[in-house]
Amino acid sequence: MAAANPSQMNNLTTLIKRLEAATSRLEDLSTVVPAIELPVTSATGAPAAPIPEPLPASIEEYDELIVNEVAKYVKLSNELGESSTEEAKERYSAIAEQSKSVERCFAEQRRFLVIATKAKKPDSQSQLYMDLLAGMQTHCTKVSNLRENNRHSPFFNHLSTVSEGIPSVIWVIDAKPAKFVAEITAAAKYYGHRVLKEYKGKDQKHVDWVNSYYNLLAALEAYVKKHHIMGITWNAKGVDARELLIDPSTTPSAAPSITPSTTSGGPPPPPPPPGPPPVLGVDGPSSPAPSGGDMGGVFAELNRGQSVTAGLKKVDKSQMTHKNPELRGSSIVPARTPSSGSLRGKSPAPPSKTKPAHLTKKKPPKTELDGNKWIIENYENEKNIVIDNTEINQSVFIFRCKNTTIQIKGKVNAVSINECTKTDVVADSLVSCIDVIKSNSFAIQVLQKIPTIQIDQCDGGTIYIPKESLDVEIFTSKTSAVNVYLPPVKEEDDYSESAVPEQLKHSIKNGQLVSEIVEHAG
């Protein structure tokens, strides 16, 4: 093998040294120059969306209430009439429509709670506060109207259960919200128990529907006890609630953040120029000087000494009523008018509240048989209304009658008296019960058999019990001045009167609440 050329060996050595120098230079640059982080962009080149603000724990639990309890109630409301005929589905439609209003009402309440976590509390008497509550009030009214417009519906107790329970969402304005929700729940159960009694063992869908609404109200009460036991807590350092009224998601942050408007990294645009200075009324009237009615003027008058009474009018003896008795009988104090020297005029009268149209317009009286239900309504000053040709499976519904006497012949299933005044009902015999609701000065007499009497929100009533019904059960709630007349032991004796107790004493014994009737001796 021939020896290598000395010139080629020198060139190879030089090339190796240059490569080593370049490698060393690159290593030095990698330790001096920091890595450049590029902004994360989407596929279109736009900056990534900001991370949404986390919700408070109270709002997250309220969302769980809507997803679980509210959704289940709405689902069962829509399923009640699925397997029915077209005519029956139309009757069930009111329940489904009512559930939609309940769902929207809870959605409006969630919006109210979100605003409360981000805003300062407005004045409870201000229009802004009323606007915050307007959404809930609107849907509560829709729920109530569906009940009032379907009084003749066979599902009136269903609609009444929801209508009596929906005011529970107004706990946001109560100082003791948990107690408020519990009281509303008790009112809803009054009608809910009727549905359970009617459909238990017959149609499980209706039983599940009532229980779903009970669970919804119970979940709401538990939520209030956990997060708002003393009422709504507003954000003392928050923004004005007016800014969040349109959309709570557009809340301005407490600290201003600078975000570039373009992806080029340029500076933000300059702020707009300030507005024009206010126009000063140079030629306008000056501020009025303090009148003599201020405190300085009062002390100045007192410092005048005896001359302070110089401007008073002297009353002649002939004008003094205590020295002239004949002036006392004819003396009339004139009415005070704003021009008679009084500093304060007559207070304006409070604005009159107009009643809804369905209350002001008097409806004609009506007696008709709708299916198995007799409907008697809007009678006034009628003393001889007789319902005969009745059957044992029929019921009688008496609504908004005044100063009226109604006689029911034969044996019927049930009688309901609703919103009546001075109405007397005489019935031969009943299978189940008589219900009296929001009726004052009523009288009930059953000639033969009556198992149960239920009275709710009534003032003044008389009940005559026959000998055949001494085992009758009487249930009362929110009722006063009700007397029960019991039949005499001997025929020659008179009926004995017993008052239904109104006053109860509650005490705690052995860790339990014990209620006793307060008896007054004397």
Side-chain angles (χ1 to χ4, degrees):
M1 181 177 180
N5 192 352
S7 60
Q8 292 178 352
M9 293 295 294
N10 292 334
N11 293 338
L12 182 60
T13 303
T14 303
L15 182 60
I16 292 174
K17 290 182 179 180
R18 292 178 62 186
L19 288 174
E20 290 177 353
T23 302
S24 177
R25 179 61 177 165
L26 290 174
E27 291 176 353
D28 294 341
L29 288 175
S30 64
T31 57
V32 174
V33 179
I36 300 175
E37 296 182 359
L38 297 177
V40 180
T41 59
S42 62
T44 58
I51 301 175
E53 181 182 356
L55 292 174
S58 60
I59 302 300
E60 289 182 349
E61 290 199 19
Y62 194 85
D63 288 342
E64 293 179 2
L65 184 148
I66 294 178
V67 172
N68 296 326
E69 281 76 17
V70 176
K72 183 177 180 181
Y73 156 71
V74 174
K75 179 176 177 291
L76 293 178
S77 299
N78 294 326
E79 292 178 353
L80 277 182
E82 282 186 349
S83 59
S84 304
T85 61
E86 292 298 328
E87 182 180 357
K89 286 182 179 179
E90 185 177 355
R91 296 179 180 178
Y92 280 106
S93 62
I95 299 178
E97 185 178 354
Q98 198 179 47
S99 68
K100 293 179 182 177
S101 296
V102 172
E103 183 180 20
R104 292 168 186 159
C105 192
F106 274 86
E108 288 290 339
Q109 184 169 89
R110 181 193 184 277
R111 178 169 171 264
F112 182 93
L113 296 175
V114 171
I115 293 178
T117 61
K118 300 181 180 182
K120 300 176 183 177
K121 181 180 180 180
D123 185 7
S124 58
Q125 303 297 327
S126 64
Q127 183 61 38
L128 174 59
Y129 194 72
M130 295 296 104
D131 292 340
L132 292 173
L133 299 172
M136 287 183 283
Q137 292 176 343
T138 299
H139 295 295
C140 282
T141 304
K142 290 182 180 180
V143 172
S144 180
N145 289 342
L146 281 169
R147 172 200 183 186
E148 297 298 329
N149 296 335
N150 293 274
R151 282 193 166 272
H152 304 324
S153 170
F155 308 114
F156 176 73
N157 287 331
H158 296 66
L159 301 175
S160 298
T161 302
V162 180
S163 178
E164 292 290 336
I166 195 60
S168 59
V169 299
I170 311 299
W171 64 266
V172 295
I173 64 174
D174 200 275
K176 298 180 179 179
K179 180 181 178 182
F180 177 80
V181 175
E183 292 176 353
I184 297 298
T185 302
K189 288 185 176 180
Y190 178 81
Y191 289 96
H193 289 347
R194 293 185 178 183
V195 180
L196 294 176
K197 183 178 179 181
E198 181 178 358
Y199 290 95
K200 188 174 183 180
K202 299 178 181 178
D203 193 339
Q204 188 62 29
K205 284 187 177 181
H206 292 264
V207 177
D208 295 340
W209 177 85
V210 174
N211 290 330
S212 69
Y213 193 67
Y214 285 176
N215 293 337
L216 170 58
L217 297 178
L220 180 62
E221 182 181 355
Y223 169 81
V224 171
K225 286 182 179 179
K226 182 176 181 180
H227 296 284
H228 306 283
I229 188 64
M230 299 303 294
I232 291 291
T233 302
W234 295 76
N235 190 343
K237 298 181 180 180
V239 298
D240 188 0
R242 198 180 309 275
E243 302 177 19
L244 309 177
L245 189 59
I246 299 177
D247 187 2
S249 63
T250 58
T251 313
S253 58
S257 60
I258 301 175
T259 56
S261 59
T262 62
T263 58
S264 61
V279 180
L280 301 177
V282 179
D283 299 332
S286 59
S287 300
S291 60
D294 60 355
M295 293 304 297
V298 172
F299 287 108
E301 291 291 332
L302 293 177
N303 291 332
R304 290 170 55 189
Q306 294 182 352
S307 61
V308 69
T309 60
L312 298 179
K313 177 183 177 182
K314 184 174 179 62
V315 180
D316 188 73
K317 291 184 179 181
S318 61
Q319 299 175 339
M320 299 180 182
T321 56
H322 68 283
K323 291 187 177 182
N324 298 276
E326 64 275 6
L327 297 178
R328 301 175 189 173
S330 60
S331 298
I332 300 177
V333 179
R336 178 178 293 178
T337 60
S339 60
S340 62
S342 174
L343 297 178
R344 180 179 180 271
K346 185 178 180 181
S347 301
S352 59
K353 297 182 178 179
T354 58
K355 293 185 178 180
H358 71 278
L359 296 180
T360 57
K361 184 178 179 181
K362 186 176 180 180
K363 296 182 180 180
K366 180 177 65 173
T367 300
E368 67 175 6
L369 178 61
D370 184 7
N372 292 330
K373 178 183 290 187
W374 284 94
I375 300 174
I376 306 170
E377 60 182 12
N378 303 320
Y379 279 98
E380 188 170 350
N381 300 323
E382 289 286 343
K383 298 297 183 180
N384 193 21
I385 300 176
V386 180
I387 305 298
D388 50 9
N389 298 327
T390 58
E391 298 180 4
I392 196 171
N393 62 339
Q394 294 178 347
S395 60
V396 181
F397 179 72
I398 305 171
F399 178 63
R400 284 186 180 171
C401 293
K402 184 178 181 181
N403 197 20
T404 303
T405 301
I406 302 170
Q407 184 176 1
I408 305 171
K409 294 185 177 181
K411 191 171 186 179
V412 296
N413 184 24
V415 175
S416 178
I417 306 171
N418 200 333
E419 298 185 23
C420 295
T421 303
K422 296 182 179 180
T423 298
D424 303 336
V425 178
V426 181
D428 288 352
S429 181
L430 286 93
V431 177
S432 58
C433 66
I434 291 181
D435 293 331
V436 188
I437 306 169
K438 296 181 180 179
S439 299
N440 300 328
S441 303
F442 65 90
I444 299 174
Q445 183 177 9
V446 180
L447 303 180
Q448 298 176 16
K449 186 64 178 177
I450 171 68
T452 307
I453 299 175
Q454 297 181 354
I455 306 173
D456 180 47
Q457 303 180 49
C458 297
D459 182 21
T462 303
I463 303 173
Y464 293 90
I465 304 298
K467 290 183 178 180
E468 295 82 354
S469 300
L470 293 179
D471 57 345
V472 64
E473 295 181 345
I474 302 175
F475 299 89
T476 62
S477 61
K478 298 182 180 180
T479 298
S480 60
V482 174
N483 296 321
V484 179
Y485 286 82
L486 302 177
V489 179
K490 300 180 180 179
E491 294 183 358
E492 60 271 14
D493 295 338
D494 296 330
Y495 273 74
S496 60
E497 180 183 3
S498 300
V500 175
E502 301 177 21
Q503 189 174 7
L504 301 176
K505 181 184 71 174
H506 309 282
S507 58
I508 301 175
K509 297 180 180 179
N510 298 326
Q512 294 183 348
L513 183 66
V514 179
S515 300
E516 301 174 352
I517 299 174
V518 177
E519 297 181 358
H520 299 277

